[in-house]
């Protein structure tokens, strides 16, 4: 069966193709390794816990006055009750940006959409959907023109469009961030189609392997 990462890629492919070739769509692949310093998730007792990861897609409107986003995150507790350990509890989530962003630089918060600061207020567009099974969930929102953490979308557009911004999810264990993803333009549609075909190939191989096993067992 396809894993969460494969399913995530398939979802992104659908969203990008549905947005149309002329839409300005950006993407972020969220990982522990992109944090500064890199995050190594553990339980509060010291044992390891599953690596957290996710993906987000951003869509700027034609006038560049608003940016919608949707993120899907795995292995971060969205409710505080999805696991019994407090280390993975989601605390805050933001977009960070600065004129220059490097892997060893933590940029300031320019727009918060979960916890403090919360800037999706004009209006509040956040939709927060924890997984009903498993750990994590999806969250979406819209950065409108009047909003920002001491700034505006218009002021941050140069940073966003030049790759100098990132989305960050923070937890109890990692107050400075557990998973981070640089916000970058999506690959052109042809590349995304090839990636999607690759994901489909993974699904097909998993199905064929499970079917061969079933036949060998006489199922």
């Amino acid at each position: 069966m396809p894993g969460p990462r494969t399913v995530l890629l398939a979802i992104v492919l659908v969203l990008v193709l549905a947005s149309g070739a002329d839409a300005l769509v950006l993407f972020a692949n969220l990982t522990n390794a992109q944090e500064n310093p890199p995050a190594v998730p553990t339980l509060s007792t010291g044992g390891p816990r599953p690596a957290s990861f996710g993906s987000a897609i951003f869509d700027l409107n034609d006038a560049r006055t608003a940016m919608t986003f949707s993120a899907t995150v795995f292995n971060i507790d969205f409710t505080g009750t999805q696991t019994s350990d407090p280390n993975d509890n989601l605390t805050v989530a933001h977009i960070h940006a600065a004129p220059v962003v490097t892997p060893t630089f933590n940029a300031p918060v320019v727009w918060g959409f979960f916890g403090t600061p919360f800037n999706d207020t004009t209006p509040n567009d956040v939709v927060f959907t924890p997984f009903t099974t498993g750990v994590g969930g999806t969250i979406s929102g819209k950065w409108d023109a009047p909003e920002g953490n001491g700034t505006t979308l218009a002021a941050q557009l140069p940073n966003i469009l030049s790759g100098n911004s990132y989305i960050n999810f923070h937890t109890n264990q990692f107050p400075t961030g557990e998973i981070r993803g640089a916000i970058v333009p999506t690959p052109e549609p042809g590349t995304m189609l090839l990636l999607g075909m690759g994901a489909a190939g993974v699904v097909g191989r998993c199905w064929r392997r499970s079917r061969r096993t079933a036949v060998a067992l006489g199922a």
Side-chain angles (χ1 to χ4, degrees):
M1 293 296 292
R5 295 177 192 268
T6 301
V7 173
L8 206 54
L9 178 57
I11 292 170
V12 170
L13 173 65
V14 170
L15 290 172
V16 170
L17 294 180
S19 67
D22 296 328
L24 182 49
V25 181
L26 303 118
F27 174 76
N29 178 38
L30 293 107
T31 63
N32 300 136
Q34 291 182 72
E35 290 291 352
N36 174 39
V40 181
T42 62
L43 300 171
S44 57
T45 55
R49 62 179 170 91
S52 43
F53 61 95
S55 182
I57 193 159
F58 309 82
D59 194 345
L60 276 161
N61 65 0
D62 290 341
R64 306 297 186 258
T65 57
M67 182 172 73
T68 58
F69 87 97
S70 180
T72 301
V73 171
F74 295 87
N75 295 330
I76 287 181
D77 190 336
F78 266 41
T79 65
T81 60
Q82 291 177 319
T83 71
S84 59
D85 193 277
N87 268 13
D88 61 358
N89 289 359
L90 178 64
T91 54
V92 294
H94 316 117
I95 291 176
H96 301 243
V100 177
V101 171
T102 68
T104 57
F105 176 74
N106 293 331
V109 176
V110 294
W111 188 69
F113 56 89
F114 182 85
T116 303
F118 184 80
N119 305 119
D120 195 346
T121 56
T122 317
N124 182 345
D125 301 292
V126 169
V127 178
F128 185 73
T129 310
F131 294 153
T132 55
T133 57
V135 181
T138 63
I139 186 168
S140 62
K142 183 180 179 184
W143 187 350
D144 291 293
E147 301 170 349
N149 187 47
T151 184
T152 63
L153 176 61
Q156 295 303 322
L157 270 179
N159 295 329
I160 293 170
L161 297 178
S162 61
N164 290 318
S165 65
Y166 58 90
I167 185 171
N168 207 9
F169 285 78
H170 308 244
T171 60
N172 278 341
Q173 184 180 7
F174 298 102
T176 60
E178 178 164 324
I179 54 171
R180 167 172 161 173
I183 299 173
V184 296
T186 56
E188 51 85 22
T191 301
M192 286 300 294
L193 182 58
L194 290 175
L195 290 172
M197 291 169 66
V202 170
V203 174
R205 286 195 297 275
C206 290
W207 183 87
R208 288 193 294 272
R209 188 179 300 117
S210 64
R211 183 59 189 153
R212 284 197 300 269
T213 302
V215 170
L217 294 175

